[in-house]
Amino acid sequence: MLLCTACLVGLQLLISCCWAFACHSTEPSPDFTLPGDYLLAGLFPLHSGCLQVRHRPEVTLCDRTGGFNEHGYHLFQAMRLGVEEINNSTTLLPNVTLGYQLYDVCSDSANVYATLSVLSLPGPRHIELQGDLLRYSPKVLAVIGPDTTNRAATTAALLSPFLMPLISYGASSETLSVKRQYPSFLRTIPNDKYQVETMVLLLQRFGWTWISLVGSSGDYGQLGVQALEKQATDQGICIAFKDIVPFSAQVGDQRMHRLMRHLAQATATVVVVFSNRPLARVFFESVVLANLTGKVWVASEAWVLSRHITGVPGIQRIGTVLGVAIQKRTVPGLKAFEEAYARADKGAPRPCHKSSCCSSNQVCRECEAFTAHTMPKLKGFSMSSAYNAYRAVYAVAHGLHQLLGCASGVCSRGRVYPWQLLEQIHKVNFLLHKDTVMFNDNGDPLSSYNIIAWDWSGPKWTFTVLGSSTWSPVQLDINETKIQWHGKDNQVPKSVCSSDCLEGHQRVVTGFHPCCFECVPCGAGTFLNKSDLYRCQPCGKEEWAPEGSQTCFPRTVVFLACQEHTSWVLLAANTLLLLLLLGTAGLFAWHLDTPVVRSAGGRLCFLMLGSLAAGSGSLYGFFGEPTRPACLLRQALFALGFTIFLSCLTVRSFQLIIIFKFSTKAPTFYRAWVQNHGAGLFVMISSAAQLLICLTWLVVWTPLPTREYQRFPHLVMLECTEANSLGFILAFLYNGLLSISAFACSYLGKDLPENYNEAKCVTFSLLFNFMSWIAFFTTASVYDGKYVPAVNMLAGLSSLSSGFGGYFLPKCYVILCRPDLNSTEHFQASIQDYTRHRGST
């Protein structure tokens, strides 16, 4: 595959040579050539290209009147100076001389011609087709240049099969770092990848998220715009308007007029111009003509310091210009070298005739005519670019120094193949005027940028260095106070589609660009994460957030704690009731054989008191954090205990009615009731029924501790699940049915003897019980806070207290305060009065 590729490339080169070398076989000008042991080639734009229609594949003749390029001239002289210094050095390549072949590459065809010349063999001036390109030995070992990405890509593609080193001083496109396509390409100018990242950081630094983007035709501008658009979009910066200045653009033509109109209509204040110098000049002349002012212009390194751009009449009125510039470096002695060249006697300029050396693009008549007064001035931008060409020459020299084994002081002068030199250039690491020269794996230099701002405060244009950017990763360090903004009060101009939202407000995109949005507050229970400003995130289960929040807060866990004042009151009341129950049991045990205790039920009273005590004990389960045992027992034990009490109360009232009203009217029923222990049987059956309901409740609808999140957004309610279960409702309804039965039996006995008549007290206690639970369910329906267990306990405590107070307290009063009423004679007299009253009615 490699052999086939090499043959194909060779065939293409051979076809190209047919028109290139055959038509331009001339001797070059002496200034463009220097003999030496090893030759380098230099490709420099000494003249500007001229757009013209061509009908034949001929090389553009660069040396023409009016097309001289001062910038390219300084690069040309920097290489000549570098080679001269190296040849004069006793430490670098001590016994070896370098020579060069320099070419004027004013056009693409001139660039291809120069590249083919470089690849030609010494003597025959042609390119041989060989199966093994590693053994191909052209007259030149390495190439310095060319200046632009387009031309560098063409040259690199032609040289890559031969692995001939190509070190460009001006081609910065990121695509040239792809080693699979351009394995022999290196450069001394930073990669546009870092320039783009620096520009994006600069935009972010000032909060500019709404920009216009303009590039120039060609790889440099179009690839730069493409990379900038991608990285800017990834960082949340939106492109309001984007366009490319074509090669054929002219000031005032329809294409530029339309571009200016769209640029003026765009609401973006910031315009990034990623362009080469010639098209940047056309663009800014059009900007001045359209009177497009009040904007911030972000410049790429290709034109930011170019006098070709700053010399546009009226450009000082366009606004603020910031840009990325190659760090300023100087070539020591270059100015003196150019002055000496201008003073040297080069002979009279020779006219350019057909088949003369002019056609070889290795001649410069303007250069030969320079004097000390007419020579081009060496300015800052050209000096920095010239240093890159100068540095490239030294990189090749150091690579050759290592390859020839010159460390011993003597170099071995053997045959050198380009690929061998390429390997060594990748390894160079040396200081050149306090500047470290080395390349990474992609052939890019380890360098940095300056961030500059144009300054028109004086009579002439100058610039201010604001800071620098270094990599990797790319970091920006600038002093913003040095910038003179064009707006009022020297304020940083804004360039946003929509202003930032308030804290806790999400962005709702309106249109196609994420930078254009409306602000909507985040709802309760959600928050705005700074990593995603376009979507409110829900809080965690244990968190909450109010409306329009930027963060979530921990929920407060609440339950009926024992330390609260309400808890202390209820605890004291329940404990007092329990003590009263125990005291009453002791009092009844002491007076067990008295008429009051016997009329109250005798030993049955202890069961009633015990059931009330069990219900009172269950109320302690409402305090503190709910646990599984507390949830299982507190309601079920209360329901069962109160059922036993109500069963005893009901059967006690029913038994008195039977004794006094039905013993003579229904003696058979009375005897069966007494003989079969009806009272005890009823209490057992009634209590067993409630026990069955409670067991079913605990098994099927098991009350468990739970964390309730829905009721209050900022609270976690610790509670038991019994309140919303069918078992709880069945147990409550059963007790309600028993209460109604006890109430009915007590009411039927309202005319019994005074000492046996408990209708009033029992009726009052049952009514109070009903009211307590009605109040509880009413409160629970409108209040869901942490005090619901306290209200539940209060209802239970009221039921127990009313049962105890309505049935036992009157009897305790008689035993303790009216012992005269606690006698057999008093009870017999009461019965006799009841009998006489019944007989009289």
Side-chain angles (χ1 to χ4, degrees):
M1 180 62 71
L2 181 61
L3 182 60
C4 293
T5 303
C7 290
L8 183 60
V9 170
L11 182 60
Q12 293 172 338
L13 295 179
L14 184 61
I15 294 172
S16 301
C17 287
C18 289
W19 58 264
F21 292 143
C23 301
H24 303 283
S25 178
T26 58
E27 291 297 326
S29 172
D31 298 332
F32 285 75
T33 62
L34 179 70
D37 298 322
Y38 300 99
L39 294 184
L40 310 182
L43 310 182
F44 302 103
L46 289 170
H47 293 82
S48 301
C50 179
L51 294 176
Q52 59 183 359
V53 178
R54 293 185 300 155
H55 301 285
R56 297 179 60 190
E58 295 178 336
V59 177
T60 303
L61 300 180
C62 296
D63 188 35
R64 52 187 171 77
T65 305
F68 181 71
N69 182 357
E70 294 183 1
H71 180 74
Y73 171 77
H74 297 303
L75 305 177
F76 168 82
Q77 294 291 13
M79 179 168 178
R80 295 181 70 244
L81 171 63
V83 172
E84 183 176 301
E85 288 179 351
I86 293 167
N87 288 339
N88 292 332
S89 173
T90 57
T91 56
L92 184 60
L93 298 174
N95 59 322
V96 171
T97 58
L98 292 181
Y100 52 72
Q101 290 282 338
L102 307 183
Y103 298 88
D104 187 354
V105 288
C106 63
S107 66
D108 291 341
S109 62
N111 182 62
V112 172
Y113 166 76
T115 304
L116 295 176
S117 298
V118 164
L119 286 172
S120 65
L121 294 172
R125 295 177 55 82
H126 69 266
I127 301 173
E128 282 189 3
L129 294 177
Q130 294 182 354
D132 186 5
L133 295 181
L134 297 180
R135 296 296 174 184
Y136 189 75
S137 181
K139 62 181 180 181
V140 170
L141 282 180
V143 179
I144 309 300
D147 58 328
T148 66
T149 295
N150 285 31
R151 293 171 187 169
T154 301
T155 301
L158 292 173
L159 297 183
S160 289
F162 304 92
L163 293 182
M164 179 179 287
L166 173 66
I167 306 180
S168 175
Y169 48 81
S172 57
S173 175
E174 185 177 354
T175 57
L176 292 169
S177 293
V178 180
K179 289 303 160 190
R180 188 174 56 185
Q181 291 180 263
Y182 309 108
S184 64
F185 179 83
L186 304 96
R187 56 181 148 207
T188 53
I189 186 174
N191 190 329
D192 277 345
K193 170 187 176 182
Y194 305 115
Q195 180 176 195
V196 167
E197 291 182 18
T198 300
M199 285 182 168
V200 172
L201 285 178
L202 188 64
L203 296 172
Q204 289 180 306
R205 180 65 169 266
F206 295 106
W208 296 327
T209 58
W210 186 240
I211 65 170
S212 295
L213 189 53
V214 177
S216 59
S217 289
D219 287 349
Y220 175 77
Q222 289 176 287
L223 294 177
V225 165
Q226 181 181 339
L228 186 57
E229 181 180 18
K230 182 182 183 303
Q231 287 204 30
T233 303
D234 291 343
Q235 298 300 323
I237 298 171
C238 299
I239 311 301
F241 169 72
K242 181 182 71 171
D243 206 347
I244 297 295
V245 180
F247 281 123
S248 59
Q250 297 293 327
V251 180
D253 66 11
Q254 186 176 358
R255 181 71 175 80
M256 294 305 296
H257 177 73
R258 185 167 63 251
L259 192 156
M260 292 301 114
R261 185 176 69 252
H262 291 161
L263 202 58
Q265 290 172 351
T267 55
T269 305
V270 174
V271 183
V272 180
V273 183
F274 211 107
S275 172
N276 58 36
R277 286 184 299 280
L279 292 180
R281 171 85 182 201
V282 174
F283 174 77
F284 281 105
E285 286 180 348
S286 300
V287 168
V288 173
L289 183 64
N291 196 28
L292 200 58
T293 61
K295 292 187 179 293
V296 177
W297 309 87
V298 179
S300 63
E301 52 80 26
W303 65 268
V304 66
L305 296 180
S306 174
R307 299 271 181 176
H308 189 58
I309 308 301
T310 59
V312 172
I315 197 171
Q316 65 270 20
R317 298 192 301 270
I318 64 172
T320 304
V321 178
L322 305 178
V324 179
I326 299 171
Q327 280 200 331
K328 186 177 180 180
R329 300 283 184 182
T330 58
V331 181
L334 179 58
K335 185 177 180 181
F337 182 79
E338 291 184 0
E339 290 174 350
Y341 175 80
R343 288 194 299 268
D345 182 13
K346 296 178 286 293
R350 290 166 295 182
C352 183
H353 300 289
K354 187 176 180 180
S355 299
S356 71
C357 61
C358 302
S359 62
S360 68
N361 286 333
Q362 286 187 286
V363 65
C364 177
R365 289 176 297 171
E366 289 94 335
C367 304
E368 295 173 355
F370 285 146
T371 66
H373 301 290
T374 61
M375 61 176 288
K377 292 183 179 180
L378 184 58
K379 300 171 185 176
F381 178 72
S382 293
M383 177 62 85
S384 295
S385 299
Y387 179 79
N388 286 335
Y390 178 77
R391 182 163 56 168
V393 173
Y394 268 90
V396 174
H398 276 269
L400 189 60
H401 185 88
Q402 294 173 186
L403 182 61
L404 298 179
C406 302
S408 62
V410 179
C411 301
S412 61
R413 299 193 195 183
R415 171 172 287 190
V416 174
Y417 294 104
W419 63 269
Q420 294 175 318
L421 179 58
L422 178 64
E423 286 184 348
Q424 297 302 321
I425 293 175
H426 272 289
K427 299 177 183 178
V428 299
N429 186 348
F430 62 94
L431 280 177
L432 180 62
H433 307 300
K434 299 182 180 180
D435 173 35
T436 301
V437 180
M438 61 183 298
F439 302 95
N440 63 16
D441 293 338
N442 294 325
D444 297 327
L446 300 182
S447 186
S448 58
Y449 287 111
N450 281 337
I451 309 301
I452 66 101
W454 283 12
D455 185 0
W456 291 98
S457 58
K460 293 183 179 180
W461 172 87
T462 184
F463 64 90
T464 302
V465 177
L466 306 176
S468 63
S469 72
T470 56
W471 57 83
S472 42
V474 175
Q475 294 179 329
L476 200 62
D477 179 22
I478 61 174
N479 184 355
E480 301 173 19
T481 60
K482 293 183 178 181
I483 305 175
Q484 294 295 319
W485 300 103
H486 62 269
K488 294 181 179 179
D489 302 323
N490 200 34
Q491 294 296 311
V492 179
K494 289 186 177 181
S495 189
V496 296
C497 184
S498 299
S499 298
D500 288 340
C501 295
L502 298 174
E503 292 185 356
H505 287 60
Q506 69 172 337
R507 299 177 177 182
V508 178
V509 177
T510 56
F512 300 103
H513 297 285
C515 301
C516 303
F517 49 82
E518 294 179 349
C519 299
V520 178
C522 290
T526 63
F527 73 103
L528 190 67
N529 192 329
K530 290 184 178 180
S531 62
D532 185 2
L533 300 177
Y534 296 90
R535 186 166 64 93
C536 297
Q537 306 288 337
C539 293
K541 198 173 183 180
E542 300 290 332
E543 298 175 322
W544 76 286
E547 183 179 281
S549 178
Q550 262 195 319
T551 185
C552 292
F553 305 96
R555 288 195 182 201
T556 303
V557 179
V558 295
F559 53 87
L560 189 61
C562 299
Q563 294 85 359
E564 299 184 30
H565 296 299
T566 303
S567 300
W568 282 110
V569 173
L570 292 174
L571 277 170
N574 190 50
T575 303
L576 178 61
L577 174 62
L578 193 58
L579 292 175
L580 289 174
L581 291 171
L582 293 174
T584 301
L587 182 64
F588 274 40
W590 185 262
H591 298 87
L592 183 61
D593 296 327
T594 60
V596 170
V597 176
R598 289 202 304 272
S599 66
R603 297 185 184 278
L604 187 63
C605 293
F606 296 110
L607 179 60
M608 297 172 71
L609 288 169
S611 65
L612 290 176
S616 177
S618 70
L619 297 181
Y620 287 107
F622 286 93
F623 296 101
E625 184 174 345
T627 61
R628 187 182 180 91
C631 291
L632 289 172
L633 295 177
R634 68 183 191 183
Q635 293 284 18
L637 183 60
F638 175 83
L640 183 61
F642 203 55
T643 295
I644 296 173
F645 172 76
L646 290 175
S647 299
C648 294
L649 186 62
T650 302
V651 77
R652 174 63 185 151
S653 300
F654 181 71
Q655 194 161 303
L656 289 175
I657 292 171
I658 291 177
I659 293 172
F660 285 99
K661 292 190 176 184
F662 297 105
S663 59
T664 56
K665 294 180 181 180
T668 304
F669 175 76
Y670 175 72
R671 283 195 300 273
W673 175 266
V674 173
Q675 290 174 0
N676 294 304
H677 306 286
L681 190 61
F682 176 80
V683 172
M684 288 181 61
I685 293 174
S686 176
S687 301
Q690 181 67 294
L691 178 62
L692 181 61
I693 291 174
C694 290
L695 289 176
T696 305
W697 172 17
L698 295 180
V699 172
V700 179
W701 303 283
T702 307
L704 295 171
T706 183
R707 300 171 75 88
E708 206 286 322
Y709 298 94
Q710 303 301 322
R711 232 174 283 161
F712 298 97
H714 61 292
L715 300 178
V716 178
M717 305 288 295
L718 300 187
E719 58 186 19
C720 297
T721 57
E722 72 268 339
N724 54 1
S725 65
L726 183 59
F728 173 77
I729 296 173
L730 289 176
F732 179 80
L733 291 177
Y734 186 80
N735 279 342
L737 181 62
L738 281 178
S739 298
I740 294 172
S741 301
F743 176 78
C745 292
S746 299
Y747 185 78
L748 290 174
K750 66 181 182 298
D751 56 349
L752 294 180
E754 183 179 354
N755 290 331
Y756 295 93
N757 188 347
E758 297 161 347
K760 292 181 181 179
C761 292
V762 172
T763 300
F764 171 77
S765 65
L766 291 176
L767 285 176
F768 196 79
N769 174 47
F770 289 143
M771 291 173 61
S772 298
W773 287 106
I774 290 171
F776 164 70
F777 284 110
T778 303
T779 303
S781 65
V782 297
Y783 172 69
D784 288 334
K786 72 171 184 176
Y787 291 107
V788 169
V791 179
N792 192 348
M793 180 186 173
L794 183 61
L797 186 60
S798 300
S799 298
L800 297 175
S801 300
S802 63
F804 171 75
Y807 190 79
F808 289 103
L809 277 185
K811 295 170 178 54
C812 292
Y813 173 76
V814 172
I815 293 172
L816 295 175
C817 300
R818 296 294 300 274
D820 56 311
L821 301 181
N822 188 16
S823 63
T824 305
E825 293 79 8
H826 176 72
F827 273 79
Q828 288 177 349
S830 177
I831 293 172
Q832 290 172 0
D833 290 341
Y834 172 75
T835 304
R836 284 195 301 271
H837 179 70
R838 292 271 299 193
S840 64
T841 56

